[in-house]
Amino acid sequence: MILRKDSVPVTEAVSDYPEPYNLGRGFLSYRHLTEAGGLTQFGVALETLHPGKQSSQPHWEQHDDEFLYILEGALTVIENGVPTIIHPGDACCWKAGTAVAHTLKNNTDQPAVYLIAGSRNPENICRYPGLDLLATPQGYTHLDGTPYPTKGENE
């Protein structure tokens, strides 16, 4: 299947982190390329991180590899609290099970565009060092395993 440029619709990201970790909406937008192509074993999206925004809470994946390749703009990649600025042509690799907490920040006044890829292990657990937060196959939990309320439970 061929996906022509701009044929995959843009989706505005809406954070699904529980409070107090939620990032709201409008921080990034994406085109989920592998979803549009019907692929299921890995995921690739063309993401745009908007100026002044952060992509996620700092995290690492227990069972999923992650890969990023920057196409336009500049990103500050923060790994275990250490910032590094990357530019078009630079890439990042985060190996599953390696405790390198990472997040992206766009500290510029221009959008940053990159490809982000990851495996889709249904048993993955995402860890957020320094936060009382885990993402499990069953949903978000506190570190002690207590589930966070799902959207609508508190309303």
Side-chain angles (χ1 to χ4, degrees):
M1 167 183 284
I2 295 172
L3 302 173
R4 297 282 184 191
K5 181 180 178 185
D6 299 333
S7 67
V8 177
V10 174
T11 301
E12 177 186 39
V14 178
S15 174
D16 67 348
Y17 291 126
E19 294 299 338
Y21 307 115
N22 195 285
L23 299 174
R25 64 181 329 123
F27 55 100
L28 68 82
S29 55
Y30 61 92
R31 296 176 191 267
H32 208 306
L33 304 174
T34 49
E35 288 286 323
L39 301 183
T40 59
Q41 295 181 14
F42 62 93
V44 176
L46 180 64
E47 288 187 355
T48 301
L49 185 59
H50 302 301
K53 301 298 182 179
Q54 180 172 317
S55 64
S56 65
Q57 296 294 348
H59 68 282
W60 62 274
E61 311 276 348
Q62 192 164 322
H63 301 293
D64 278 0
D65 286 338
E66 291 183 280
F67 174 83
L68 177 147
Y69 184 84
I70 187 166
L71 300 167
E72 299 174 23
L75 286 172
T76 300
V77 179
I78 301 170
E79 294 180 314
N80 290 340
V82 177
T84 303
I85 298 173
I86 63 170
H87 299 95
D90 293 336
C92 300
C93 297
W94 296 289
K95 183 176 171 50
T98 302
V100 176
H102 56 275
T103 189
L104 311 173
K105 288 188 178 181
N106 183 346
N107 294 324
T108 75
D109 61 357
Q110 298 295 313
V113 180
Y114 51 93
L115 285 171
I116 189 86
S119 44
R120 290 184 166 178
N121 186 317
E123 300 304 314
N124 188 49
I125 295 173
C126 190
R127 301 190 177 274
Y128 301 87
L131 303 180
D132 183 20
L133 183 65
L134 288 175
T136 72
Q138 295 74 38
Y140 289 107
T141 72
H142 295 271
L143 294 177
D144 68 4
T146 306
Y148 276 94
T150 57
K151 292 194 187 290
E153 281 185 29
N154 289 341
E155 298 169 3

